[in-house]
DNA sequence: CAAGTTCGTTTCATCCATGAAATGACTGTT
DNA sequence: AACAGTCATTTCATGGATGAAACGAACTTG
């Protein structure tokens, strides 16, 4: 085999073996046989130039390099999974709305306005920090922080989002780190003087920890200013300010239920912006 | 072939064909023959359920869907390319705690108790509905709803978790559906008489919508009973009740910072159980 | 301690993905 | 209009990846 050319499918099989903890269970999960998986893992290790597993009598155990690789491949899988046809299958009239976790939270809190006059379709809120692909119907409506370039997408500017640091008191100095690649997480990582004492994987938990009085959290002002227990402990962070856009597919936006959802969501988002100036 | 299972290596070959603008040039670039690439592209289109190329006499031209896919695969390639390098550097002393989103929320709200006497390590809360693998160090501490079978894991029973339906009023009848495969989501799907009028991808948003007064949500009682705006609208759902276990790795649990975190988390979790009986 | 079970590795027959060769269609040149 | 060149598709023989079967090692159970 070509040892210089990584077979991407070996990464998928690696993921299965890593998750299953051995070849036999991974064989069941993947439909490939245990000998095949064994050979593919050896091939992968040869290409990568690292031992990914300790081969124990009762199964495969990841090495440190294997664990590091696993984290990356889990992320790859999350990106590849939606590409399957089954992932895009349209089941009934569902309007999928994709927004970051803060925006989704705010939309849910204002759900009565959004639902007004809209019984024809079911709404599905997909809370994700990465951009879902409207051109491929991963979502029908998206709220994004960048104007889309694709010609098939229609967009409408909502307004400008500001971020700031929040805590229960200015006396609280350390920060909570969100272990995802959002601009605010990256900004915080780039501030060497900002001590981080705790980490969370979900942005909502950062808010929880700020409210619990142990750390500062970077929050959008339409969220931070709405919390009664929190005060701003920094001025607005200009590096994180960005415009917010409501995006949909040219073809989809004339469906009546999509049209109404767009109008309502725009209304709610605009009012959030006005409150948080 | 298995049309439901995307071969990740087909994405790599797609990238080569897209870049080369045809099979012949891509054959040269990849070492695969043109007929092979042609078949693999057909297979990829079948799995994805979209036409990625217009097949012209003088080569392959990307369709809009193909162009969109190309952007994603370029990104995937950028992530996969460095995998030949040495493993990522080992970070500082971080204690990773994995629990479901409700439990993580509750732990964050009680973070002061958990942090007591524990400055030596940074805590990382990983909010996930699936079980992270402690045997392979995806997490150091896990809160699970099943006793682990693996011998390398130490476990300690916390107590029993109950679930119930919650809303702002018993007059509210429709439910919010969480589009993830958790037992509570699956239970709700199995109740044909429970009308669902709205969907969310994140469990926290189900709570948001219940508090907004538009739907009923299935919540664990240690969450639902703690919300001032919500009341139980069903009795406890016996099908969803389960034991809760604190799990860690045999080897890891004697590290002082892990030991302390385990003790504190156990304390907090036990008190949650007492409150929600 | 013996028997049973489970897991990974090795061996080897099978079959399927591959590529060589042929073919067809289209474009460019004379 | 005829011919040459280029590209993709089809046909079919082949070789290599696959998995069934066997084996060995380690662990579990009675």
């Amino acid at each position: 085999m070509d040892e210089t050319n990584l077979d991407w499918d070996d990464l998928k099989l690696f993921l299965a073996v890593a998750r299953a903890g051995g070849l036999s269970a991974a064989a069941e999960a993947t439909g490939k046989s245990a000998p095949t998986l064994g050979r593919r893992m050896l091939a992968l290790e040869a290409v990568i130039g690292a031992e990914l597993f300790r081969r124990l009598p009762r199964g495969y155990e990841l090495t440190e390099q294997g664990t590091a690789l696993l984290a990356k491949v889990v992320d790859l899988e999350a990106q590849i999974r939606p590409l399957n046809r089954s992932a895009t299958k349209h089941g009934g009239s569902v309007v999928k709305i994709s927004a970051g976790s803060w925006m989704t939270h705010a939309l849910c809190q204002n759900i009565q306005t959004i639902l007004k006059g809209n019984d024809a379709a079911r709404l599905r809120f997909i809370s994700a920090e990465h951009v879902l692909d409207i051109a491929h119907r991963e979502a029908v409506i998206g709220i994004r922080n960048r104007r889309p370039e694709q010609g098939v997408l229609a967009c409408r500017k909502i307004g400008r989002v500001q971020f700031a640091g929040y805590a229960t008191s200015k006396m609280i100095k350390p920060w909570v780190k969100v272990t995802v690649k959002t601009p605010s997480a990256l900004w915080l990582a780039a501030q060497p003087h900002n001590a981080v004492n705790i980490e969370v994987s979900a942005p909502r938990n950062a808010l929880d920890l700020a409210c619990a009085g142990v750390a500062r959290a970077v929050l959008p002002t339409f969220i931070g200013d709405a919390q009664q227990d929190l005060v701003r402990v920094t001025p607005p962070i200009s590096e994180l300010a960005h415009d917010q856009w409501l995006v949909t597919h040219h073809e989809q936006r004339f469906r009546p239920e999509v049209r109404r959802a767009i109008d309502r969501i725009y209304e709610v988002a605009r009012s959030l912006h006005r409150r948080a100036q």
Side-chain angles (χ1 to χ4, degrees), chain A:
Chain A
M1 53 124 342
D2 183 4
E3 285 203 8
T4 69
N5 190 11
L6 176 65
D7 185 323
W8 291 13
D9 221 46
D10 284 351
L11 294 174
K12 186 179 73 182
L13 300 177
F14 162 79
L15 184 59
V17 176
R19 281 176 168 157
L23 299 177
S24 299
E28 286 186 40
T30 61
K32 295 275 185 189
S33 71
T36 297
L37 293 174
R39 283 189 297 264
R40 299 288 288 268
M41 294 306 96
L42 285 171
L44 180 62
E45 285 174 324
V47 168
I48 281 187
E51 204 174 78
L52 303 172
F53 298 102
R54 282 189 276 290
R55 287 157 172 82
L56 305 178
R58 286 261 181 212
Y60 275 35
E61 185 183 83
L62 282 168
T63 61
E64 286 185 3
Q65 297 97 316
T67 303
L69 179 63
L70 176 60
K72 292 174 181 165
V73 182
V74 164
D75 190 49
L76 289 174
E77 188 210 28
Q79 294 168 66
I80 294 175
R81 189 190 275 128
L83 301 184
N84 273 311
R85 191 208 313 252
S86 61
T88 64
K89 203 180 295 174
H90 209 36
S93 184
V94 172
V95 177
K96 300 177 198 169
I97 302 149
S98 160
S101 44
W102 297 125
M103 198 61 207
T104 303
H105 171 59
L107 292 180
C108 288
Q109 286 187 311
N110 290 273
I111 193 63
Q112 306 251 27
T113 303
I114 296 169
L115 288 175
K116 246 188 280 174
N118 202 356
D119 308 288
R122 183 186 294 180
L123 302 185
R124 177 183 296 172
F125 289 95
I126 305 168
S127 173
E129 309 317 320
H130 62 280
V131 169
L132 267 70
D133 194 332
I134 290 173
H136 290 105
R137 296 154 179 68
E138 289 182 334
V140 173
I141 298 171
I143 297 187
R144 295 187 184 177
N145 55 18
R146 195 178 297 133
R147 186 193 182 107
E149 310 276 295
Q150 290 152 290
V152 296
L153 301 184
C155 59
R156 189 178 185 185
K157 186 173 175 178
I158 298 170
R160 197 158 181 81
V161 176
Q162 301 259 16
F163 284 76
Y166 289 84
T168 48
S169 155
K170 282 183 184 281
M171 308 296 293
I172 291 165
K173 298 298 180 185
W175 291 78
V176 51
K177 172 181 173 183
V178 183
T179 59
V180 291
K181 288 193 170 73
T182 55
S184 55
L186 297 176
W187 174 86
L188 184 58
Q191 308 302 305
H193 53 286
N194 283 348
V196 166
N197 73 344
I198 196 159
E199 299 178 1
V200 293
S201 62
R204 291 290 293 270
N205 295 134
L207 172 56
D208 295 335
L209 293 173
C211 289
V214 297
R216 299 182 170 195
V218 178
L219 300 172
T221 55
F222 66 83
I223 293 288
D225 287 352
Q227 307 300 315
Q228 289 179 334
D229 298 335
L230 296 183
V231 296
R232 289 192 192 190
V233 294
T234 71
I237 303 168
S238 58
E239 293 100 307
L240 296 178
H242 59 75
D243 289 331
Q244 200 175 51
W245 300 84
L246 185 68
V247 181
T248 191
H249 198 286
H250 263 300
E251 295 173 0
Q252 300 290 327
R253 63 183 176 144
F254 299 110
R255 288 163 56 196
E257 66 276 15
V258 173
R259 180 78 262 147
R260 271 187 227 102
I262 289 170
D263 290 341
R264 299 286 180 238
I265 288 169
Y266 184 77
E267 186 181 323
V268 165
R270 289 287 291 171
S271 81
L272 292 176
H273 281 268
R274 283 196 294 274
R275 284 185 225 158
Q277 284 309 307

